[in-house]
């Protein structure tokens, strides 16, 4: 188990600076998620942890020791690659056994550990197959067993669930999480799927273009997103963001006007669809579209400030397309950002128009 | 009980017009290969067989049909066993030292270093293959010239203080034909192995590094297994081409001194075109074809090539 620290880490590929200045501490035994859109440097950061990439600047520490120059094989990390990277010409058994070959583990003990690891991820009956004879989910589990068999001090998962179908993804999410609880190994999960990050990780590191936007618990990121980017990235369906001008305690957004507290100037108002409700108070609009989502219904409502998404509980729609409605919300659920700097204004809220 | 596959086949067969379509596809896809095989393999073999049963010689007149040539091959030609032994040494030596092993080393080494230097070295090793055989052998003749002007002699005499020039063409002719052929032959393996190494996904090397493998372990457990098919292919292909090609030997040593470097193919040539025994040459050539086919089949079995064959990417019915 290890405590990880990035200190002013820089990574360049030739002239391209992919990671300008990364500072981050991951506690021993923690499960963190690196979350961000494609190309933001998640895999690059992970590969630096694995030792596959050497940082161009700054320091990377494991348990207080600088490991910048420590070779991959001396780091004792387990990695599940996005493509799984199973050795195609070896049986599943030999794949899982491979890391132990280089640890000079006695053969009997090694085989026992392979069996144990295979049991853990439930691939025991597949040991004699080749990777090409496995389904995506099975390959993923074998990759996980190979990463775990050497009892790594750090487990790195690069988008391990992205190739799986929806139901398998759900069960693997639970399995990885319970494995982590069972083994307690420091784990870094890379993902661009916010649901994966929020459901599995203790802490989420939200990245954008090589920089950390926000670090926090899933709740922090959801309830107090520090920037417009995080607010827009976390939450599904995505938050409603509308820009307006505030003056004398009132913000004007297109045609709509709200009372605003604690902010003025150019603002962006954020209202999550699940915090809006259709009722007797609030701003007026016309239902343009209805999308049933199983247990919830998503309404797209045309209002004075543009199209607004409203998520309501229930499996059958209580309203119909074309209906004139009012949309209300609780003031404490509203978010207000500075449009210019894209930052959250802490403590600022808007209220329903009266 | 029929399986789903059977049912599918039956269904397919049942469709009207599918038989005609199959015939067309057969002609389109296999036609060209069949024509070429007939024209350049079957026809020459038939002619060769015909000639081998005659007494065709320098006079270019056939006076009788006879099995006398085959009696010579199997009974009276005492030089043949020496020729076959030499051919084995030549083919096996060139293959084992250069075409496969050295080609493999070149490929592994030039893909492990910087791309620019790697390409440069591969380019250097390709040069002899791109130059005309005669020019290449002329350079060799200069290099091994038994006078003081020969390259090797210059080096040995000036740098290592050798007294008298060596005559390598007389003292080490077999080594010379193996080396001169191998320097060229290695480049084919090099290119095929390089392409195969390039197509190994990089993540496998990352995974191996994570699992604790060093450079040699990566080569042994990732690179070499991925080269099984190319190695088998190069081995079989080069065995066959070494068996039948003799132009470098002819140019370098003319098969000599005496018959010391006369490999089988060159022996056929010398019999037929130097001694004018066309009928005997034809019989010997037929024997070579048989050897070639047997070697190819043995190689196919030995390397289990069938299992390595990939399923067609496009299925044509
Ligand atoms: N070897 C490389 N050479 C040059 N640029 C690279 C290299 N590897 C990555 N990059 C660049 O660095 C940036 C970050 O890449 P990275 O693979 O870390 O993204 P990511 O966040 O993992 O994205 P994804 O979710 O698509 O996997 C990208 O813009 C990419 O083009
Ligand atoms: Mg990635």
């Amino acid at each position: 188990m290890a405590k990880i620290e990035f200190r002013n880490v820089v990574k360049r590929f030739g002239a391209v600076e992919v990671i300008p200045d990364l500072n981050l501490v991951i506690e021993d035994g923690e499960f963190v998620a690196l979350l961000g859109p494609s190309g933001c440097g998640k895999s690059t950061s992970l590969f630096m942890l694995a030792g596959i990439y050497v940082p161009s600047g700054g320091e990377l520490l494991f348990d207080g020791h600088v490991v910048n120059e420590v070779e991959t094989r001396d780091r004792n990390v387990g990695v599940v690659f996005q493509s799984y990277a199973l050795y195609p010409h070896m049986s599943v058994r030999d794949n899982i056994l491979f890391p132990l070959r280089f640890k000079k583990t006695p053969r009997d003990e090694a085989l026992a550990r392979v069996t144990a690891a295979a049991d853990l991820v439930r691939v025991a009956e597949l040991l004699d197959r080749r990777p090409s004879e496995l389904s995506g989910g099975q390959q993923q589990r074998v990759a996980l067993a190979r990463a775990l068999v050497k009892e790594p001090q750090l487990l790195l998962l690069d988008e391990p669930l992205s190739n799986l179908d929806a139901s398998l993804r759900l069960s693997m999410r639970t399995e990885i999480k319970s494995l982590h609880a069972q083994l307690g190994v420091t784990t870094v999960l890379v993902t661009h799927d916010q649901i994966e990050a929020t459901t599995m990780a203790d802490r989420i590191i939200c990245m954008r273009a090589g920089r950390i936007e926000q670090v926090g618990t899933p709740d922090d990121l959801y309830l107090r997103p520090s920037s417009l980017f995080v607010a827009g990235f976390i939450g599904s369906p995505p938050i409603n963001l509308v820009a307006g001008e505030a003056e004398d305690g009132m913000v004007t957004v297109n045609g709509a006007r709200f009372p605003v507290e604690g902010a003025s100037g150019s603002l962006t108002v954020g209202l999550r669809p699940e915090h809006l409700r259709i009722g007797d108070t609030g701003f007026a609009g016309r239902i343009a579209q209805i999308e049933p989502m199983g247990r919830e219904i998503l309404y797209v409502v045309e209002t004075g400030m543009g199209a607004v998404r409203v998520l309501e509980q229930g499996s059958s729609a209580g309203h119909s397309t074309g209906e004139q409605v009012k949309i209300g919300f609780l003031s404490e659920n509203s978010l207000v950002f500075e449009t210019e700097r894209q930052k959250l204004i802490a403590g600022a809220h808007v209220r329903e128009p009266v | 009980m029929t399986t789903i596959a059977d049912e599918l086949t039956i269904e397919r067969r049942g469709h009207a017009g599918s038989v005609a379509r199959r015939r067309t596809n057969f002609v389109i896809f296999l036609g060209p290969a069949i024509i070429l095989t007939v024209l350049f393999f079957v026809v020459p073999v038939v002619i060769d067989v015909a000639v081998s049963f005659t007494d065709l010689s320098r006079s270019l007149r056939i006076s009788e049909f006879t099995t006398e040539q085959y009696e010579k091959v199997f009974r009276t030609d005492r030089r043949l066993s020496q020729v076959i032994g030499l051919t084995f040494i030549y083919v096996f030596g060139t293959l084992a030292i250069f075409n496969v092993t050295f080609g493999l080393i070149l490929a592994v080494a030039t893909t492990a270093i910087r791309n620019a230097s790697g390409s440069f070295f591969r380019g250097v090793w390709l040069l002899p293959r791109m130059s005309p055989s005669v020019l290449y052998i002329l350079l060799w003749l200069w290099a091994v010239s038994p006078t003081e002007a020969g390259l090797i002699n210059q080096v040995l005499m000036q740098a290592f203080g050798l007294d008298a020039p060596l005559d390598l063409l007389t003292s080490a002719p077999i080594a010379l034909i193996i080396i001169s052929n191998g320097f060229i032959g290695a480049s084919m393996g090099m290119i095929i192995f390089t392409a195969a190494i390039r197509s190994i996904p990089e993540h496998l090397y990352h995974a191996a590094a994570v699992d604790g493998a060093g450079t040699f372990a990566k080569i042994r457990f990732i690179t070499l297994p991925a080269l099984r098919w190319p190695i088998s292919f190069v081995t079989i292909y080069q065995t066959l081409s070494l068996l039948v090609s003799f132009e470098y030997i002819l140019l370098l040593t003319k098969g000599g001194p005496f018959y010391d470097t006369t490999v089988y193919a060159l022996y056929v040539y010398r019999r037929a075109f130097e001694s004018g025994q066309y009928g005997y040459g034809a019989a010997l050539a037929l024997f070579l074809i048989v050897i070639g086919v047997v070697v190819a089949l043995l190689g196919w079995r030995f390397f289990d090539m069938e299992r390595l064959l990939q399923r067609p990417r496009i299925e044509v019915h």
Side-chain angles (χ1 to χ4, degrees):
Chain A
M1 314 300 123
K3 175 182 167 176
I4 309 297
E5 200 174 341
F6 286 91
R7 279 193 198 150
N8 306 106
V9 168
V10 182
K11 181 63 194 174
R12 284 181 220 99
F13 291 108
V16 191
E17 197 165 68
V18 174
I19 311 266
D21 180 18
L22 189 65
N23 286 285
L24 176 68
V25 177
I26 302 168
E27 294 300 334
D28 191 3
E30 208 179 5
F31 192 142
V32 300
L34 283 181
L35 176 66
S38 186
C40 72
K42 306 178 299 283
S43 297
T44 306
S45 309
L46 197 81
F47 280 11
M48 285 195 283
L49 282 175
I52 294 165
Y53 291 162
V54 179
S56 317
E59 286 178 338
L60 182 60
L61 296 95
F62 282 16
D63 285 330
H65 302 289
V66 179
V67 294
N68 285 26
E69 304 290 331
V70 175
E71 284 209 39
T72 304
R73 56 172 159 163
D74 300 322
R75 290 197 187 192
N76 196 21
V77 293
V79 184
V80 174
F81 292 88
Q82 186 163 359
S83 56
Y84 309 141
L86 297 177
Y87 309 119
H89 51 273
M90 293 183 200
S91 66
V92 167
R93 176 179 289 102
D94 288 339
N95 263 281
I96 304 178
L97 188 67
F98 196 67
L100 299 178
R101 255 176 205 280
F102 303 102
K103 292 202 150 188
K104 310 256 180 307
T105 316
R107 181 115 187 130
D108 291 347
E109 191 199 324
L111 286 175
R113 277 168 69 176
V114 168
T115 313
D119 280 340
L120 196 64
V121 298
R122 296 188 284 123
V123 292
E125 70 283 13
L126 306 174
L127 284 175
D128 292 313
R129 299 219 197 147
R130 293 280 174 113
S132 58
E133 298 162 346
L134 302 180
S135 74
Q138 291 168 333
Q139 290 188 34
Q140 200 255 342
R141 280 186 249 192
V142 173
L144 200 55
R146 184 179 64 183
L148 291 173
V149 74
K150 58 181 168 177
E151 294 167 3
Q153 56 170 341
L154 175 62
L155 182 61
L156 305 173
L157 312 169
D158 192 358
E159 314 229 13
L161 309 181
S162 56
N163 291 338
L164 307 184
D165 67 48
S167 71
L168 199 54
R169 194 177 303 185
L170 200 75
S171 67
M172 284 312 296
R173 240 156 53 189
T174 323
E175 274 178 45
I176 292 179
K177 204 171 166 177
S178 71
L179 267 178
H180 174 257
Q182 207 175 325
L183 305 172
V185 56
T186 313
T187 304
V188 181
L189 167 79
V190 159
T191 177
H192 60 254
D193 178 1
Q194 45 120 0
I195 299 189
E196 228 166 271
T198 50
T199 50
M200 293 164 78
D202 304 326
R203 243 171 7 125
I204 297 175
I205 295 128
C206 188
M207 291 182 73
R208 177 198 196 180
R211 291 173 199 280
I212 295 181
E213 279 286 304
Q214 185 173 6
V215 180
T217 62
D219 269 358
D220 289 338
L221 269 67
Y222 178 76
L223 297 173
R224 292 172 289 280
S226 66
S227 66
L228 280 175
F229 175 79
V230 179
F233 205 76
I234 304 279
S236 167
I239 192 169
N240 297 294
L241 291 170
V242 283
E245 290 293 328
E247 223 178 341
D248 302 329
M250 291 296 277
V251 57
T252 312
V253 180
N254 295 336
R257 277 165 70 82
F258 304 91
V260 60
E261 292 163 3
S264 62
S266 293
L267 304 177
T268 299
V269 174
L271 293 167
R272 294 204 180 272
E274 56 273 33
H275 291 152
L276 297 176
R277 64 185 144 63
I278 296 173
D280 306 327
T281 57
F283 49 90
R286 191 185 65 88
I287 297 179
Q289 204 177 317
I290 303 178
E291 294 176 20
M293 296 172 58
R295 295 170 170 280
E296 291 146 344
I297 309 267
L298 180 70
Y299 297 96
V300 181
V301 186
E302 287 296 345
T303 69
M305 55 181 179
V308 169
R309 287 176 294 271
V310 180
L311 196 65
E312 291 234 308
Q313 299 292 323
S315 48
S316 61
H319 307 274
S320 51
T321 324
E323 200 179 319
Q324 293 292 335
V325 292
K326 285 199 162 184
I327 301 171
F329 56 90
L330 291 176
S331 173
E332 71 235 41
N333 286 333
S334 65
L335 299 165
V336 181
F337 301 86
E338 275 180 66
T339 306
E340 192 83 344
R341 291 176 50 234
Q342 312 218 331
K343 293 286 171 216
L344 181 76
I345 306 174
H349 293 290
V350 292
R351 272 187 285 120
E352 282 181 17
V354 278
Chain B
M1 202 184 83
T2 54
T3 64
I4 294 175
D6 291 339
E7 279 172 24
L8 280 176
T9 323
I10 293 165
E11 194 186 21
R12 248 183 238 135
R13 285 217 188 98
H15 283 307
S18 83
V19 174
R21 200 191 60 199
R22 270 184 197 210
R23 283 214 188 104
T24 332
N25 279 340
F26 182 82
V27 171
I28 292 174
F29 283 85
L30 289 180
I34 291 176
I35 291 173
L36 287 176
T37 314
V38 168
L39 217 55
F40 293 106
F41 186 76
V42 178
V43 171
V45 168
V46 169
I47 294 175
D48 187 79
V49 171
V51 172
S52 73
F53 283 103
T54 69
D55 62 347
L56 190 67
S57 69
R58 211 172 290 244
S59 60
L60 291 183
R61 213 167 288 130
I62 299 171
S63 51
E64 58 167 346
F65 289 93
T66 162
T67 56
E68 159 198 4
Q69 313 295 6
Y70 287 94
E71 266 164 52
K72 257 206 233 164
V73 174
F74 292 106
R75 297 243 176 76
T76 49
D77 191 342
R78 266 183 267 127
R79 184 154 293 134
L80 205 52
S81 60
Q82 180 209 335
V83 166
I84 290 173
L86 171 77
T87 308
F88 181 78
I89 294 173
Y90 163 73
V91 170
F92 191 76
T94 315
L95 207 60
I97 301 172
F98 287 101
N99 293 10
V100 175
T101 313
F102 192 59
L104 196 59
I105 292 173
L106 280 176
V108 170
T110 57
T111 47
I113 57 178
R114 277 194 315 126
N115 220 340
S117 351
S119 305
F120 173 76
F121 280 114
R122 282 198 299 276
V124 169
W125 279 98
L126 263 180
L127 276 180
R129 190 176 280 278
M130 293 187 292
S131 54
S133 340
V134 177
L135 190 67
Y136 173 70
I137 290 302
L138 275 179
L139 285 174
W140 266 101
L141 283 173
W142 166 64
V144 300
S145 161
T147 65
E148 288 167 23
L151 175 71
I152 294 174
N153 280 327
Q154 279 188 34
V155 172
L156 287 179
M157 291 168 79
Q158 281 167 24
F160 296 95
L162 192 80
D163 302 329
L166 294 177
D167 183 1
L168 292 170
L169 279 173
T170 315
S171 56
I174 298 177
L176 272 188
I177 62 168
I178 289 181
I179 294 172
S180 58
N181 268 280
F183 274 20
I184 287 196
S187 61
M188 174 177 166
M190 175 186 80
I191 287 184
I192 290 180
F193 300 148
T194 302
I197 291 174
R198 284 271 163 76
S199 68
I200 301 173
E202 201 181 6
H203 276 176
L204 290 185
Y205 289 103
H206 291 165
V210 164
D211 287 344
T215 307
F216 285 102
K218 283 183 200 163
I219 291 174
R220 170 157 174 231
F221 293 109
I222 310 290
T223 309
L224 290 184
L227 294 182
R228 240 198 88 177
W229 158 264
I231 288 176
S232 314
F233 168 74
V234 168
T235 305
I236 295 182
Y237 183 90
Q238 296 270 20
T239 307
L240 295 179
S241 84
L242 282 170
L243 267 179
V244 297
S245 72
F246 57 86
E247 70 271 25
Y248 293 113
I249 305 175
L250 181 66
L251 288 164
L252 187 62
T253 66
K254 298 185 180 56
F258 197 46
Y259 274 89
D260 283 3
T261 55
T262 301
V263 295
Y264 195 96
L266 182 54
Y267 186 62
V268 177
Y269 172 86
R270 287 179 78 170
R271 281 291 164 181
F273 298 102
E274 281 178 11
S275 327
Q277 299 165 295
Y278 297 115
Y280 186 44
L284 285 172
L286 193 68
F287 195 46
L288 182 61
I289 293 171
V290 172
I291 295 176
V293 171
V294 168
V295 165
L297 290 178
L298 282 180
W300 183 270
R301 281 296 288 276
F302 177 75
F303 289 113
D304 202 0
M305 296 277 271
E306 201 156 2
R307 214 169 55 79
L308 293 174
L309 280 185
Q310 294 189 355
R311 280 178 358 92
R313 296 281 160 91
I314 305 174
E315 282 192 38
V316 178
H317 300 292

